[in-house]
């Protein structure tokens, strides 16, 4: 496929600029599935549209150039750090991982994490256990962006040993679908307890896959539209949505649509979920078609516009006003994935978003009151493709690289689990 480099810009709604995040990103003249998480859409591309930026939006010229959606650990690349002192020190905890996707922290100090090819593993007492707790059996499949993705521990894990996982599988019809399992973990073993939700649309790419328990105790699930953009607007489809279910798989009585797990719709391929600690407001990260990656504030029952609008475009559908993002990447590509609010230390209340094609952590100050949102790049190009970021109970931040996912340039240490240890303790 022909590719070219182009100078790009970044947009932020609400009248504030994005600082130091500019990139020379990969721009392509055609779409294909294999480059989806570099930001390029595949299938279902709608006609090109010119973003109608608000009068106060301020584009920031590009400043640095990563490889074209690739990863690896460039030896001579220095991180583009915040203008303020970064209050953490990086330390590699584990290397040689196989496309790690999600992590969860147990009360006893264990760190559970998934690897996309189908294994559930654990980091315990300062070391990575050699044998996985679980290797998913058929009908599990790992193709393209699909596989074992999201993972979450039950809020009462210490008492019941339950955990939850999102994975791709081969359906009876021979296609690809996704489902949510409840697992039972005991000692060094884990097993499948029950299927909570299945028949979620899937494909080689655009599977969504993040699952998180909200402060309300319900399980939230991001799903992709598998290259069928119309699914995102189809109220009866589970594709292109954020879903919300109870721990037993039942539908919460206060869900916005009666007898439906759908919580919000109009999403393309959302891969991040995080709640602002003080307000409890839900944020999500979402892949745009070839740019215009988004950070959204999620409201129950709302429509986020895909494929009818993206970026700054305004529009209506089903007689409703569609939601605009808090911020988006403009004409460049982040390919945002996991995200986390910091709850401790001098950066408490700040949001971090892992970027795959952007090869950085995006540091977002959401803005409150008269203060406008802003964003900046951290560790740009230092670790290659970054899949996830999470905060541990003691305030340590954990970063997962994904240079072995088929789109990166893996180094000998990839993939890695990296700890950002607090300097403020």
């Amino acid at each position: 496929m022909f590719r070219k480099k182009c100078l790009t810009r970044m947009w932020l709604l609400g009248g504030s600029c994005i600082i130091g995040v500019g990139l020379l990103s990969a721009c392509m003249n055609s779409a294909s599935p294999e480059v989806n998480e570099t930001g390029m859409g595949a299938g279902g591309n709608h006609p090109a549209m010119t973003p109608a930026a608000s009068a106060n939006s301020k584009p920031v010229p590009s400043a640095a150039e990563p490889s074209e959606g690739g990863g690896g650990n460039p030896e001579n690349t220095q991180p583009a750090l915040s203008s303020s002192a970064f209050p953490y020190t990086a330390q590699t905890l584990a290397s040689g991982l196989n496309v790690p996707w999600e992590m969860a922290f147990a009360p006893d100090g264990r760190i559970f994490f998934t690897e996309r090819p189908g294994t559930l593993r654990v980091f315990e007492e300062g070391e990575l256990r050699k044998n996985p707790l679980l290797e998913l059996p058929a009908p599990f499949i790992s193709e393209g962006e699909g596989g074992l993705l999201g993972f979450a521990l039950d809020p009462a894990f210490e008492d019941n040993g339950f955990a939850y996982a999102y994975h791709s599988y081969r359906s009876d019809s021979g296609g690809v679908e996704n489902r949510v399992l409840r697992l039972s973990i005991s000692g060094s073993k884990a097993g499948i307890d029950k299927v909570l939700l299945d028949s979620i649309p899937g494909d080689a790419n655009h599977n969504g896959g993040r699952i998180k328990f909200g402060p309300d105790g319900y399980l939230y699930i991001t799903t992709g539209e598998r290259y069928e953009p119309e699914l995102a607007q189809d109220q009866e489809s589970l594709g292109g949505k954020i879903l919300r279910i109870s721990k037993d798989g039942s539908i919460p009585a206060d869900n916005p649509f009666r007898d439906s797990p759908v919580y919000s719709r109009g999403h393309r391929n959302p891969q991040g979920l995080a709640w602002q600690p003080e307000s409890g407001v839900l944020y999500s990260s979402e892949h745009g078609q070839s740019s215009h990656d988004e950070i959204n504030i999620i409201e129950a029952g709302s429509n986020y516009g895909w494929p009818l609008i993206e970026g700054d475009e305004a529009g209506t559908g089903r007689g409703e006003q569609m939601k605009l993002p808090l911020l988006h990447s403009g004409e460049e590509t982040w390919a945002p994935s996991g995200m986390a609010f910091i709850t401790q230390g001098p950066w408490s209340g700040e949001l971090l978003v892992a970027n795959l094609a952007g090869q950085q952590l995006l540091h977002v100050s959401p803005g409150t009151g008269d203060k406008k949102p802003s964003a900046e790049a951290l560790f740009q190009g230092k670790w290659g493709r970054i899949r996830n970021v999470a905060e541990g109970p003691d305030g340590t931040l954990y970063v997962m690289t994904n240079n072995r996912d088929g789109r990166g340039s893996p180094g000998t240490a990839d993939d890695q689990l990296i700890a950002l240890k607090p300097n403020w303790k």
Side-chain angles (χ1 to χ4, degrees):
M1 181 192 306
F2 172 78
R3 295 186 175 108
K4 64 180 180 179
K5 297 284 186 177
C6 63
L7 187 66
T8 58
R9 304 185 300 178
M10 184 173 300
W11 301 88
L12 175 64
L13 298 182
S16 61
C17 66
I18 291 182
I19 304 169
V21 193
L23 306 172
L24 279 172
S25 66
C27 296
M28 307 179 187
N29 69 343
S30 62
S32 73
E34 68 272 18
V35 292
N36 177 263
E37 285 189 349
T38 67
M40 195 64 193
N45 293 334
H46 65 280
M49 298 178 283
T50 302
S54 66
N56 294 324
S57 295
K58 299 179 182 179
V60 176
S62 301
E65 180 176 349
S67 61
E68 189 172 329
N73 299 303
E75 293 181 1
N76 298 319
T77 301
Q78 296 299 316
L81 289 176
S82 165
S83 57
S84 59
F86 185 67
Y88 301 88
T89 299
Q91 173 188 344
T92 300
L93 293 186
S95 58
L97 306 180
N98 196 2
V99 196
W101 217 91
E102 182 59 286
M103 66 192 104
F105 307 95
D108 61 8
R110 287 179 293 174
I111 304 174
F112 297 96
F113 67 93
T114 60
E115 291 178 312
R116 199 171 68 186
T119 55
L120 175 62
R121 305 189 67 184
V122 62
F123 189 83
E124 184 177 13
E125 296 180 348
E127 64 181 43
L128 176 66
R129 296 302 183 193
K130 180 179 179 180
N131 296 322
L133 280 76
L134 175 68
E135 296 180 78
L136 283 178
F140 167 82
I141 59 170
S142 178
E143 295 179 356
E145 294 171 15
L148 177 54
L149 307 178
F151 180 80
L153 295 179
D154 192 289
F157 174 76
E158 197 168 17
D159 297 322
N160 60 29
F162 287 146
Y164 304 80
Y166 182 106
H167 77 83
S168 308
Y169 69 99
R170 186 73 65 192
S171 68
D172 292 340
S173 64
V176 178
E177 294 181 338
N178 297 292
R179 66 185 185 180
V180 179
L181 305 177
R182 186 168 73 187
L183 307 177
S184 179
I185 298 177
S186 178
S188 61
K189 297 292 182 182
I192 298 173
D193 179 65
K194 65 181 294 189
V195 177
L196 296 185
L197 183 65
D198 58 8
S199 300
I200 299 170
D203 207 311
N205 302 318
H206 284 213
N207 292 290
R210 194 70 58 186
I211 62 174
K212 295 281 185 182
F213 277 100
D216 55 9
Y218 292 115
L219 187 64
Y220 291 72
I221 305 156
T222 71
T223 70
E225 35 79 302
R226 72 170 184 198
Y227 313 132
E228 296 180 30
E230 65 274 12
L231 295 183
Q233 294 296 326
D234 182 352
Q235 185 60 45
E236 301 305 313
S237 172
L238 298 182
K241 307 294 193 299
I242 292 177
L243 311 177
R244 179 180 183 247
I245 62 174
S246 301
K247 294 196 298 181
D248 62 0
S250 62
I251 307 301
D254 60 348
N255 267 14
F257 307 104
R258 185 178 176 85
D259 298 325
S260 171
V262 173
Y263 190 77
S264 64
R265 58 204 190 282
H267 300 287
R268 185 172 181 269
N269 190 25
Q271 287 194 4
L273 293 170
W275 285 261
Q276 194 170 37
E278 294 184 0
S279 67
V281 171
L282 174 58
Y283 286 63
S284 179
S285 64
E286 181 167 341
H287 290 216
Q289 178 171 296
S290 59
S291 54
H292 298 98
D293 298 320
E294 297 179 351
I295 306 298
N296 286 299
I297 293 177
I298 303 301
E299 297 177 0
S302 291
N303 189 331
Y304 290 81
W306 178 255
L308 305 176
I309 63 171
E310 64 177 356
D312 295 328
E313 296 167 345
T316 58
R318 297 173 175 266
E320 62 186 335
Q321 187 68 35
M322 296 182 183
K323 295 289 185 180
L324 297 180
L326 175 72
L327 59 86
H328 65 84
S329 65
E331 297 300 324
E332 64 181 47
T333 300
W334 294 334
S337 195
M339 61 198 301
F341 273 100
I342 298 173
T343 65
Q344 303 179 50
W347 279 21
S348 181
E350 302 293 278
L351 177 65
L352 296 179
V353 186
N355 286 190
L356 292 158
Q359 299 185 42
Q360 64 193 7
L361 285 179
L362 193 65
H363 167 211
V364 178
S365 294
T368 56
D370 295 333
K371 184 180 179 182
K372 301 296 184 180
S374 63
E376 62 185 349
L378 301 176
F379 300 105
Q380 193 176 75
K382 182 175 179 62
W383 295 313
R385 295 168 62 82
I386 301 179
R387 171 64 66 183
N388 201 6
V389 58
E391 184 187 51
D394 66 350
T396 298
L397 305 178
Y398 295 85
V399 174
M400 287 175 157
T401 71
N402 258 198
N403 296 312
R404 293 166 59 93
D405 68 353
R407 299 186 181 88
S409 300
T412 56
D414 284 319
D415 277 318
Q416 300 181 74
L417 174 62
I418 298 164
L420 301 176
K421 298 285 189 176
N423 295 338
W424 39 267
K425 284 197 168 185

